[in-house]
């Protein structure tokens, strides 16, 4: 049995804010207003500094219209200024007296306080890079860098509805070379501090950069997207030709400079996979575990929890596999064999990929139609399934979600990596859809963005354990809704997903706290889940701790539901509202909120 108290820890300990200074005579209304003013001002300052986020949220209009033509600043000077800003924001928040806040104010204080405390602590590591879901010591890697983010952003997020939008696209593309050079500058600076990615990470990164450099500008997805959007909007101009010239000229040159810088780093790179090889690497990993799991659990505790979960899930999978006539070999061996059966695999062709995407869209429509049964509120926005851009698929995750705009007019997108359709046998795809789309990431994220009750700084805050934990909980909920009924292989896929995430607890902590090699991690995954996915292992090496957030979050959410389900007034819709209606938050804060809802 899982010890929930050990997993969640105490809210005060996790937030680390219990000893802050107090203002004895402040009234709650006054302190709430002061807190809201501070958090709103900090959010606006952060948004001023993040034009790509402003576009993603649909806020690059009116006074912010100029942001539509800018990319994020990725220079070394900007990163160093950000470290000082992180410390200053925490110090300003610490002028608030939490005891003088209302319950609603205290919730915002605890949520944002955790985030800002972690950001300030990360500022003590001059080589730390935070970008989206990634917290990494490597400014450029197979999963991180402008060369990955900007093409995808311009393809899927930048709007082209007017000539001004098309002009802004060109301005952003004109800034792409500078963004690449900023990444190169930081990567070189970090290498001077002794922070160089492992050799196998650099090898993949250099291959991806080379592929992008060598792809003619006219053939790149973002240029095709620009041409299509301009045609649909009836916009005339030479923007496609200008975009092609920029990609074939200054962008290609900046990519070449980055490749050469990484080749120099490759000469001294080591094969050691874990963060423990770096100076203060153990402290950095502990901080990343805190940030990603939002608990006080140690690497040793998480490692053992993973071992326990692996054994438990394997026993369930063994019984289900035997029921379908698969009784020979280990669970991992049987799952590996199941993956290769021709009846489950789409052809690895453009037509096969199109058929796979059609299947996913149909499944997404089916599950969305069931959501009102268990949720009091459902999102208004559309969800789409897109292929991960081929230029970056070699190092990209298997699937990931990109949230829509605040007003719901730009849909959320669920990306699936289709470099090889054999990676996605049919029996795995239902579970992936429930995790990434509905009732998982896109569903949960859209509810937060479209909430009328949350301030912007609460709508847009993110915590990996909450988001990924909810995604994994969504898979469990789909099973409870009967979405695997009559599909035993789909249920095997569901168990494989849980087993895969349990293995991640073991492998991530093994790599970064126990000195495991890359090969040892690959072998463990092969022996326990039957999927020796090197791309996944490399991802854990580049983003230490992130892989632990999934199962830690799901365990916490499921344990909370079990804990309150016998209380007066409990029903599934109310529970889901208690979890989702407050937006994303640390697990420790979520525990207190859910308990209060059923007190």
């Amino acid at each position: 049995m899982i010890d929930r108290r050990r997993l969640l820890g105490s809210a005060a300990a996790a937030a680390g804010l219990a000893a802050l200074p107090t203002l004895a005579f402040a009234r709650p209304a006054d302190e709430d207003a002061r807190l809201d003013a501070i958090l709103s001002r900090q959010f606006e300052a952060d948004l001023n500094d993040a034009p790509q986020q402003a576009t993603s949220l649909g806020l690059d209009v009116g006074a912010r219209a100029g942001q539509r033509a800018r990319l994020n600043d990725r220079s070394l000077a900007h990163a160093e200024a950000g470290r000082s800003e992180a410390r200053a924001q925490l110090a300003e928040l610490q002028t608030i007296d939490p005891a003088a806040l209302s319950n609603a104010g205290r919730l915002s204080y605890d949520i944002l306080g955790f985030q800002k405390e972690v950001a300030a602590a990360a500022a003590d590591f001059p080589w730390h890079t935070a970008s989206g879901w990634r917290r990494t010591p490597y400014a450029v890697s197979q999963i991180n860098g402008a060369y990955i983010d900007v093409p995808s952003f311009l393809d899927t997020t930048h709007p082209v509805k007017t000539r001004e939008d098309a002009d802004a696209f060109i301005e952003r593309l004109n800034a792409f070379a500078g963004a690449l050079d900023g990444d190169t500058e930081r990567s070189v600076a970090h290498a001077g501090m002794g922070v160089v990615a492992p050799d196998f990470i650099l090898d993949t990164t250099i291959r991806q950069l080379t592929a992008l450099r060598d792809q003619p500008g006219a053939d790149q997805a973002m240029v095709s997207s620009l041409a299509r959007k301009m045609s649909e909007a009836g916009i005339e101009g030479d923007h496609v030709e200008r975009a092609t010239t920029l990609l074939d000229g200054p962008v290609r040159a900046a990519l070449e400079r980055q490749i050469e810088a990484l080749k120099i780093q490759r000469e001294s790179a080591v094969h050691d996979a874990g963060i423990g090889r770096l100076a203060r690497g153990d402290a950095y990993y502990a901080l990343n575990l805190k940030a990603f799991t939002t608990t006080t659990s140690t690497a040793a505790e998480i490692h053992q929890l993973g071992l326990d979960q692996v054994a438990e899930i394997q026993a369930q999978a063994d019984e289900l596999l035997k029921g379908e006539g698969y009784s020979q070999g280990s669970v991992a061996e049987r799952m590996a064999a199941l993956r290769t059966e021709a009846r489950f695999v789409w052809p690895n062709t453009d037509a096969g990929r199109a058929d796979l995407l059609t299947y996913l869209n149909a499944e997404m429509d089916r599950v969305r139609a069931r959501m009102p049964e268990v949720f009091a509120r459902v999102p208004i926005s559309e969800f789409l399934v897109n292929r991960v851009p081929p230029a970056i698929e070699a190092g990209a995750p298997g699937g990931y979600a990109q949230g829509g705009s605040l007003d719901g007019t730009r849909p959320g997108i669920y990306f699936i990596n289709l470099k090889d359709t054999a990676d996605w046998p049919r029996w795995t795809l239902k579970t992936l859809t429930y995790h990434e789309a509905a009732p998982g990431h896109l569903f949960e994220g859209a509810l937060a963005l479209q909430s009328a009750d949350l301030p912007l700084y609460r709508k847009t805050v993110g915590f990996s354990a909450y988001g990924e934990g909810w995604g994994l909980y969504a898979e469990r909920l789909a099973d409870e809704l009967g979405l695997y009924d009559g599909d035993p292989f789909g249920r095997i896929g569901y168990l494989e997903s849980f087993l895969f995430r349990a293995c991640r607890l073991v492998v991530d902590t093994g790599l970064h706290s126990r000195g495991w090699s890359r090969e040892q991690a690959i072998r463990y995954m092969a022996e326990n889940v039957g999927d020796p996915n090197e791309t996944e292992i490399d991802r854990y090496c580049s983003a230490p701790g992130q892989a632990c957030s999934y199962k830690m979050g799901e365990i916490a959410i499921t344990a909370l539901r079990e804990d309150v389900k016998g209380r007066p007034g409990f029903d599934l819709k109310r529970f889901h509202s208690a979890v989702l209606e407050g937006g994303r938050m640390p697990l420790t804060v979520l525990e207190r909120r859910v308990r209060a809802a059923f007190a």
Side-chain angles (χ1 to χ4, degrees), residues 163-332:
R163 184 180 179 87
E164 288 74 21
D165 291 343
D167 291 343
F169 183 104
I170 296 301
E171 288 302 311
R172 276 180 155 156
L173 196 55
N174 191 44
F176 186 16
L180 289 164
D181 285 337
D183 282 348
T184 304
E185 177 190 28
R186 287 185 295 117
S187 182
V188 170
H190 296 174
M193 303 174 196
V195 178
V196 174
D199 53 10
F200 54 90
I201 295 297
L202 288 172
D203 288 342
T204 302
T205 306
I206 290 168
R207 282 198 302 271
Q208 292 183 170
L209 284 163
T210 301
L212 184 60
R213 179 201 64 189
D214 293 345
Q215 184 178 26
D219 296 341
Q220 294 197 25
M222 55 183 148
V223 174
S224 301
S225 175
L226 173 64
R228 175 179 54 79
K229 291 174 183 176
M230 288 182 65
S231 175
E232 291 172 350
I235 303 168
E236 296 183 355
D238 61 352
H239 297 76
V240 171
E241 292 76 12
R242 291 162 64 191
T244 301
T245 299
L246 286 169
L247 288 169
D248 289 338
V251 171
R252 179 173 292 170
L255 287 166
E256 181 62 30
R257 289 190 290 272
Q258 192 162 104
I259 291 167
E260 290 307 309
L262 294 188
K263 283 181 176 178
I264 292 171
Q265 293 178 33
R266 177 63 178 82
E267 294 173 0
S268 61
V270 299
H271 195 67
D272 293 348
I275 195 71
R277 76 185 190 284
L278 301 179
R280 299 188 65 213
D282 290 344
Y284 183 75
Y285 186 54
L287 178 62
N288 265 20
L289 284 180
K290 177 180 178 178
F292 280 127
T293 73
T294 62
T295 73
T296 57
S297 297
T298 67
E301 290 171 337
I302 294 171
H303 191 83
Q304 185 59 52
L305 180 60
L307 292 172
D308 295 343
Q309 289 274 295
V310 167
E312 179 182 326
I313 299 166
Q314 281 181 339
Q316 297 175 42
D318 177 54
E319 182 177 347
L320 196 53
L321 286 163
K322 286 178 178 175
E324 296 305 312
Y326 295 82
S327 58
Q328 301 301 310
S330 68
V331 167

Side-chain angles (χ1 to χ4, degrees), residues 235-557:
I235 303 168
E236 296 183 355
D238 61 352
H239 297 76
V240 171
E241 292 76 12
R242 291 162 64 191
T244 301
T245 299
L246 286 169
L247 288 169
D248 289 338
V251 171
R252 179 173 292 170
L255 287 166
E256 181 62 30
R257 289 190 290 272
Q258 192 162 104
I259 291 167
E260 290 307 309
L262 294 188
K263 283 181 176 178
I264 292 171
Q265 293 178 33
R266 177 63 178 82
E267 294 173 0
S268 61
V270 299
H271 195 67
D272 293 348
I275 195 71
R277 76 185 190 284
L278 301 179
R280 299 188 65 213
D282 290 344
Y284 183 75
Y285 186 54
L287 178 62
N288 265 20
L289 284 180
K290 177 180 178 178
F292 280 127
T293 73
T294 62
T295 73
T296 57
S297 297
T298 67
E301 290 171 337
I302 294 171
H303 191 83
Q304 185 59 52
L305 180 60
L307 292 172
D308 295 343
Q309 289 274 295
V310 167
E312 179 182 326
I313 299 166
Q314 281 181 339
Q316 297 175 42
D318 177 54
E319 182 177 347
L320 196 53
L321 286 163
K322 286 178 178 175
E324 296 305 312
Y326 295 82
S327 58
Q328 301 301 310
S330 68
V331 167
E333 288 168 342
R334 281 174 276 169
M335 284 186 169
L338 200 60
R339 280 182 164 272
T340 64
E341 289 194 23
R343 59 176 169 154
F344 295 124
V345 179
W346 272 272
N348 196 38
T349 62
D350 288 344
R353 292 181 178 91
D355 288 344
L356 189 155
L357 290 171
T358 298
Y359 172 83
L360 287 175
N361 276 295
E363 187 59 34
M364 189 159 58
D365 290 343
R366 183 173 81 106
V367 68
R368 287 203 71 177
R370 300 288 305 278
M371 293 299 93
E373 298 174 26
V374 288
F375 293 97
R377 188 165 66 91
V378 296
I380 60 172
S381 52
E382 183 183 5
F383 298 161
L384 302 178
V385 185
N386 282 2
R387 181 183 177 183
V388 171
I392 64 169
E393 63 189 8
Y400 57 91
Q402 174 182 290
S405 57
L406 278 167
D407 60 6
T409 57
R410 195 189 73 249
I413 302 174
Y414 143 37
F415 287 93
I416 182 169
N417 194 326
L418 296 181
K419 64 181 184 295
D420 188 347
T421 56
D423 292 338
W424 296 113
R426 183 183 295 265
W427 52 272
T428 65
L429 285 172
K430 282 186 177 180
T431 295
L432 181 71
T433 301
Y434 308 149
H435 183 103
E436 299 292 348
H441 291 318
L442 294 180
F443 187 93
E444 171 269 316
L447 282 178
L449 288 178
Q450 294 163 21
S451 171
D453 301 323
L454 298 177
L456 269 175
Y457 53 78
R458 287 274 301 280
K459 290 182 179 184
T460 57
V461 70
F463 298 95
S464 191
Y466 178 96
E468 298 298 353
W470 176 263
L472 206 54
Y473 171 83
E475 299 175 27
R476 180 186 295 277
L477 181 62
D479 183 42
E480 294 168 347
L481 281 169
L483 292 172
Y484 298 113
D485 288 356
D487 183 9
F489 290 103
R491 181 169 279 107
I492 289 171
Y494 157 60
L495 284 179
E496 187 213 39
S497 173
F498 268 54
L499 178 58
F500 180 57
R501 273 39 176 261
C503 285
R504 280 176 166 176
L505 298 179
V506 179
V507 167
D508 196 277
T509 52
L511 285 165
H512 297 296
S513 70
R514 294 178 175 239
W516 282 21
S517 67
R518 177 179 186 256
E519 291 69 27
Q520 187 175 356
I522 292 170
R523 187 166 60 251
Y524 182 88
M525 295 295 277
E527 291 174 352
N528 286 279
V529 76
D531 185 14
N533 191 321
E534 296 180 7
T535 299
E536 281 290 321
I537 299 302
D538 293 352
R539 170 185 161 190
Y540 312 155
C541 296
S542 291
Q546 195 272 340
C548 296
S549 57
Y550 300 74
K551 203 68 179 71
M552 295 291 283
E554 181 273 325
I555 290 169
I557 293 170

